[in-house]
Each structure stands twice: as structure tokens, then as C-alpha cells.
């Protein structure tokens, strides 16, 4: 059979450090060598910057808006891989990684995915078009990510071509449980079906029967809205209004739509409870404007933003009203906190993210911790040229308490689980193979083992269900002002198998009751 080869040449790509790409290697945000390479996709920047309403040339624009919380997620992947490499799990076999910044855009994620699928050890960036990929050897064996469901779906459809395992730490759209459409996709978090069911249960239990809902105009938001409508009807809850925001910050109509939605909320004065299925940057803008307009409501937070320090530290956020939300079940991330304390020991020559963080931090040296994230975000809107400065890179890590505050425990744990799942599957696959050799196995073989693997973390055992989901349950959180700071406190656990809230003590039960 004739073989058709497609050459993927180096397109104009803008890096995490906002510098033009000259070779495909410039596109990598962080990398480390190993016998087995794991790919990573993280939305480290919030959007692509464009001076035009729509693309006119096939090039990826400059990425801006450095997100501390997602930077920490990439560090969690690196830390988890280091934990495996420093253990006896894969004796003699080292895991490496290639991590890419999606810039919260499907287009950028697809460019990275093409590189994941390119042929291993080829002098040119080449993806072969074949009828059978059973013996094809791509440059990575599996991919961790992405976070946003909209991006994950696009990436998954490409990875399906080679049945390359994709393990997401955050994508919760219900449709991703469909193994006909997404056969190589797994995740270490539950499907939104369970979260929405829990939300509807909470709303019904609290006696709220007249609510509003705000979602994003993408697959994630539309699917969540449709499922919520079904669950609301089943629990005799009426929906007063359904509002939709553009999915991406690069859409310049977002500000107008936020104002329209808040005006709607003011008009619907009898609606006091609003369910919010949005990304963090949407909620940040929404709440800032709502505070200006003196809007005070009960907000039901999805797992996307319920524990986001970026939002809890908004000035006067207490004026927004009460926030109760759902977040992924937390695990023990004490080793990650220790890793952050020693971040200055991490080799930075192959980690552009550390370089960029150092530059932003040096520009915000005299800013207090509570304003540091916003200062870094604002500074990252500008064009940057990195200049190596060892003094900066050794001193900026002294502010590791700031990083610790921005680490979202549920998400960090989900990333750890994703890496550990792959680590245990690779261990099982390599028992009868020499996995120091790059051709020891193909990605589709790893997928078969991964689907059935049982792995442990912190003394707990985990495995994927028939849909590739890890049904760990949720923590229910309540925002409280403690000593002048908004604090996210755990109020209950939600057992998704039995559809019940587990409340630890009488004081918390009273708090739960008082939500009414």
C-alpha cells in the first residue's frame, strides 16, 4: 500500500514568552528528556492578542494574560513525574515531558497536538497519514490535558487517530464519557452529570425554586445548561433566566454581554440564587462589575472557579453575597507544597514558564501578595523580551507562600492522579518489555492497560470506570470572611454513588440549613 506522507512545517507560532517561533522546539513551554515522553496541555495564558476581529493570516498571535493558577498546574505535572522518577515504580525507566501552552485557544492546542503525533526521532516535523497506526511511533506516548472541555474535545478527536491515551485533570463535559466518540479519552474527575445532579439536589434541599443560570457559549456551557434544565425540572426548580457569555476572552463582546446580564439580574429582583458555569476569567470580570453595581445574591459555583484565589481576593468581594460551590475531592498535596519551597532547584534552562514568571515577578517586586497575581497578569499583557538574570531567578522564589495560596488543592490532586495513572499503567506494560527502548510499545497498547489499571495515591485506591471517568465525588465549599480575608471552607462531601451530602458535624449542618 502506498504511503502518503504529510510534512508539517514550522508555522509562525508565538511562545509563552511572547517571542516568535523559529523552530518547533521554540513552541515547547517546558521539557525534560526521558525514555518515555508524556505530553502536557495547559492554558497558561488567558488569550491570544489580535488587533483584528478575525484572523486574516494563518499565524498564531501573541499570547497574553499569564495565569498563576495554571502555571502551578504545570508545576504539579512536573512534580508528579519527578515523584515517579525518584521512586521505584519504574526502576531504570525515566519519564520525560513536553508541556505546551494552549493560550486558552483550540487553534494553539491543535498545533501542539500535531507535534505530539509527529513521528519519533525524525529530523523533520512529520506526521504520516496511514491506514493502520498499529506500528507507528509518535514522539509522545500519552497526553495529560487539556483543562477546558472545548479544547479537550478538539484534541481528543486528533489523538483518536492513533488511539493515544489522553488523561484530563479538569475537563468535565458529559459528552466526553462517550467512548464511541472519544475512545482514547480518560479523566481523573467526575462528569458534569454528577455535579449538576448535586447542584440540583442542593437547590431543592435548600428550598430555592426560582433561579437564574449563566454559562459559556461553547460545548461545555451548552451541555451543562441542557443537563441542568433536565435536573431542575426533575427537582421542581424553575429557571427564571438563562444567559450565555462568549467562551473566549479574545471575543471583544464579552464586556457588553456582562453588562447586559447584570442588568437582567437587577430587573429579575425576585431571583436571589444564580448558578454560574463559567471560566475563572469570566467570573473575575462579572464579579468586579457586579460589585460596582451593588448586586448581592447567592451564587452557586461550578468546579471551574469555586476555589479560585484570583476571585476570592477581588477587592470587596464580600459584597457580592454568599458563594457556595463544588470542587473536586481534595487529596494530600503536602509534597507539592514542599516542591514549591524548593522551586529554585528546578532546572530552568528548559522551562520557559519559570523564565516568564521571573520576569513578571521582578516587575512586581514591591507589590504585596494580595495584589501580586493581578500585577503579574497586567504585566504579561505587554511584549516581553527575556534577559537572563540569575539574581532574579534565585530571589523570586522567596515568595513561595504566594504560590501556595494560589494552588487549588482539588485540581493539583487531579493532576497528580493523571500522572500516577499513567505511571502505574506503564509499570504494568513494561514488566515484560525493555521500556528503555523507544519502540517498546505503541500508545494504543498503553491505552488498553490504562483503562483497566488500579493505582494508589495517599493510601487510596483508584480505577477508571467503563466511561473512562474517575468518580471521586465532590467537596461542597462555602466562602467565609475570616480575619478580613475571604476563605474557601469545606462544608460537606457529596457522595455521587448514593446522591447524598455527607456533613461532618452539627455546626456545619446548621450552616447548611442557614443557606436558605
Amino acid at each position: 500500500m502506498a504511503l502518503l506522507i504529510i510534512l508539517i512545517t514550522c508555522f509562525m507560532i508565538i511562545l509563552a514568552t511572547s517571542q516568535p517561533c523559529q523552530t518547533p522546539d521554540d513552541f515547547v513551554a517546558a521539557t525534560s528528556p526521558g525514555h518515555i515522553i508524556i505530553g502536557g496541555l495547559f492554558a497558561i495564558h488567558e488569550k491570544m492578542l489580535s488587533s483584528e476581529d478575525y484572523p486574516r493570516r494563518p499565524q498564531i498571535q501573541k499570547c497574553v494574560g499569564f495565569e498563576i493558577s495554571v502555571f502551578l498546574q504545570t508545576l504539579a505535572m512536573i512534580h508528579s513525574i519527578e515523584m515517579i522518577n525518584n521512586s521505584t515504580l519504574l526502576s531504570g525507566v525515566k519519564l520525560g515531558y513536553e508541556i505546551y501552552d494552549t493560550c486558552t485557544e483550540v487553534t494553539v492546542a491543535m498545533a501542539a497536538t500535531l507535534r505530539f503525533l509527529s513521528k519519533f526521532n525524525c529530523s523533520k516535523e512529520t506526521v504520516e497519514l496511514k491506514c493502520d497506526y498499529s506500528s507507528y511511533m509518535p514522539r509522545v506516548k500519552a497526553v495529560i490535558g487539556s483543562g477546558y472541555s472545548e479544547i479537550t474535545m478538539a484534541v481528543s478527536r486528533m489523538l483518536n487517530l492513533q488511539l493515544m491515551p489522553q488523561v484530563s485533570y479538569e475537563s468535565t463535559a458529559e459528552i466526553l464519557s462517550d467512548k464511541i466518540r472519544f475512545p482514547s479519552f480518560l479523566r481523573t474527575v467526575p462528569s458534569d452529570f454528577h455535579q449538576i445532579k448535586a447542584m440540583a439536589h442542593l437547590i431543592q434541599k435548600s428550598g430555592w425554586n426560582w433561579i437564574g443560570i449563566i454559562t459559556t457559549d461553547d460545548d461545555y456551557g451548552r451541555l451543562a445548561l441542557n443537563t441542568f434544565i433536565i435536573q431542575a425540572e426533575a427537582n421542581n426548580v424553575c429557571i427564571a433566566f438563562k444567559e450565555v457569555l462568549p467562551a473566549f476572552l479574545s471575543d471583544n463582546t464579552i464586556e457588553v454581554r456582562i453588562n447586559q446580564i447584570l442588568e437582567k439580574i437587577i430587573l429579575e429582583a425576585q431571583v436571589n440564587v444564580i448558578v454560574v458555569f463559567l471560566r475563572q476569567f469570566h467570573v473575575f470580570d462579572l464579579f468586579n462589575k457586579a460589585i460596582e453595581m451593588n448586586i448581592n445574591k447567592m451564587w452557586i459555583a461550578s468546579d471551574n472557579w469555586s476555589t479560585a484565589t484570583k476571585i476570592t481576593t477581588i477587592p470587596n468581594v464580600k459584597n457580592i453575597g454568599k458563594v457556595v460551590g463544588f470542587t473536586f475531592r481534595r487529596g494530600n498535596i503536602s509534597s507539592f507544597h514542599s516542591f514549591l519551597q524548593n522551586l529554585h532547584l528546578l532546572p530552568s534552562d528548559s522551562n520557559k514558564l519559570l523564565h516568564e514568571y521571573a520576569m513578571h515577578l521582578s516587575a512586581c517586586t514591591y507589590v504585596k501578595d494580595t495584589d501580586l497575581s493581578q500585577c503579574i497578569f497586567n504585566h504579561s499583557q505587554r511584549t516581553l523580551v527575556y534577559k537572563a538574570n540569575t539574581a532574579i531567578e534565585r530571589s523570586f522564589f522567596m515568595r513561595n507562600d504566594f504560590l501556595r495560596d494560589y494552588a487549588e488543592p482539588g485540581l493539583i490532586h487531579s493532576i497528580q492522579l493523571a500522572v500516577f495513572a499513567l505511571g502505574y499503567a506503564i509499570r504494568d506494560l513494561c514488566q515484560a518489555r525493555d521500556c528503555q527502548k523507544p519502540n517498546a510499545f505503541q500508545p494504543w497498547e498503553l491505552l488498553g492497560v490504562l483503562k483497566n489499571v488500579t493505582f494508589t495515591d495517599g493510601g487510596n485506591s483508584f480505577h477508571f470506570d467503563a466511561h473512562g471517568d474517575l468518580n471521586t465525588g465532590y467537596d461542597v465549599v462555602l466562602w467565609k470572611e475570616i480575619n478580613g480575608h475571604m476563605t474557601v471552607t469545606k462544608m460537606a462531601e457529596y457522595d455521587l454513588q448514593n446522591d447524598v451530602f455527607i456533613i461532618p458535624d452539627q455546626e456545619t449542618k446548621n450552616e447548611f440549613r442557614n443557606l436558605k
Side-chain angles (χ1 to χ4, degrees), residues 387-413:
K387 295 180 181 178
N389 187 325
T390 304
I392 290 176
E393 294 199 9
R394 290 295 172 255
S395 63
F396 78 83
F397 296 110
M398 298 303 291
R399 298 185 77 162
N400 42 36
D401 285 344
F402 160 73
L403 288 178
R404 179 174 176 149
D405 288 343
Y406 270 77
E408 298 174 54
L411 266 177
I412 300 301
H413 185 231

Side-chain angles (χ1 to χ4, degrees), residues 469-480:
D469 300 338
L470 207 62
N471 293 322
T472 52
Y474 296 95
D475 290 340
V476 184
V477 296
L478 178 68
W479 289 17
K480 291 183 190 175

Side-chain angles (χ1 to χ4, degrees), residues 250-467:
S250 49
D251 188 318
N252 56 18
T253 65
I254 281 186
E255 190 175 342
V256 173
R257 286 293 297 129
I258 285 176
N259 286 330
Q260 291 171 345
I261 288 171
L262 291 174
E263 286 167 7
K264 176 85 169 181
I265 290 171
I266 291 170
L267 285 173
E268 296 277 0
Q270 73 277 27
V271 177
N272 290 312
V273 179
I274 302 172
V275 176
V276 181
F277 268 94
L278 296 175
R279 299 177 181 178
Q280 289 185 20
F281 53 72
H282 291 109
V283 181
F284 182 83
D285 292 346
L286 180 77
F287 274 16
N288 271 298
K289 194 68 180 176
I291 291 166
E292 283 180 29
M293 299 170 71
N294 296 314
I295 293 174
N296 184 292
K297 298 290 180 180
M298 166 69 78
W299 307 86
I300 310 294
S302 67
D303 51 49
N304 262 352
W305 64 275
S306 60
T307 60
T309 305
K310 175 177 180 172
I311 301 169
T312 61
T313 53
I314 293 173
N316 300 313
V317 73
K318 64 181 179 181
N319 297 337
I320 205 73
K322 280 187 178 292
V323 177
V324 61
F326 293 80
T327 183
F328 306 129
R329 186 72 57 82
R330 305 180 187 200
N332 185 352
I333 62 168
S334 57
S335 64
F336 180 65
H337 289 153
S338 300
F339 174 78
L340 293 180
Q341 296 287 335
N342 297 297
L343 203 54
H344 59 282
L345 301 176
L346 189 67
S348 60
D349 54 340
S350 59
N351 192 320
K352 297 181 178 73
L353 304 177
L354 287 177
H355 287 317
E356 184 176 1
Y357 179 57
M359 287 189 294
H360 297 320
L361 203 58
S362 67
C364 301
T365 304
Y366 301 107
V367 175
K368 59 184 180 180
D369 280 5
T370 52
D371 300 327
L372 189 52
S373 174
Q374 192 59 37
C375 178
I376 289 171
F377 180 83
N378 293 340
H379 188 256
S380 68
Q381 303 289 331
R382 306 165 194 163
T383 302
L384 301 171
V385 179
Y386 177 72
K387 295 180 181 178
N389 187 325
T390 304
I392 290 176
E393 294 199 9
R394 290 295 172 255
S395 63
F396 78 83
F397 296 110
M398 298 303 291
R399 298 185 77 162
N400 42 36
D401 285 344
F402 160 73
L403 288 178
R404 179 174 176 149
D405 288 343
Y406 270 77
E408 298 174 54
L411 266 177
I412 300 301
H413 185 231
S414 295
I415 293 165
Q416 286 183 355
L417 292 179
V419 175
F420 290 167
L422 285 171
Y424 275 80
I426 290 168
R427 180 202 63 180
D428 293 350
L429 190 61
C430 292
Q431 285 180 353
R433 310 183 190 212
D434 181 4
C435 284
Q436 290 186 354
K437 295 180 179 178
N439 61 348
F441 64 87
Q442 271 73 32
W444 62 269
E445 294 178 283
L446 177 60
L447 176 64
V449 177
L450 182 62
K451 287 179 176 179
N452 299 299
V453 74
T454 297
F455 59 101
T456 60
D457 177 43
N460 296 312
S461 181
F462 300 91
H463 68 275
F464 297 104
D465 68 11
H467 304 291

Side-chain angles (χ1 to χ4, degrees), residues 9-66:
T9 56
C10 178
F11 15 73
M12 288 297 291
I13 292 173
I14 306 299
L15 275 187
T17 50
S18 302
Q19 298 304 306
C21 149
Q22 301 300 323
T23 71
D25 283 339
D26 292 338
F27 187 31
V28 187
T31 183
S32 180
H35 299 111
I36 297 169
I37 305 297
I38 308 297
L41 293 172
F42 295 86
I44 300 153
H45 288 83
E46 211 169 56
K47 65 177 180 178
M48 285 197 301
L49 197 63
S50 177
S51 58
E52 300 171 327
D53 292 337
Y54 59 90
R56 297 179 188 274
R57 300 187 66 178
Q59 57 183 188
I60 297 172
Q61 303 298 322
K62 183 165 77 78
C63 298
V64 297
F66 189 83

Side-chain angles (χ1 to χ4, degrees), residues 86-97:
N86 293 331
S87 73
T88 57
L89 184 68
L90 301 176
S91 54
V93 176
K94 181 184 177 184
L95 297 182
Y97 54 82

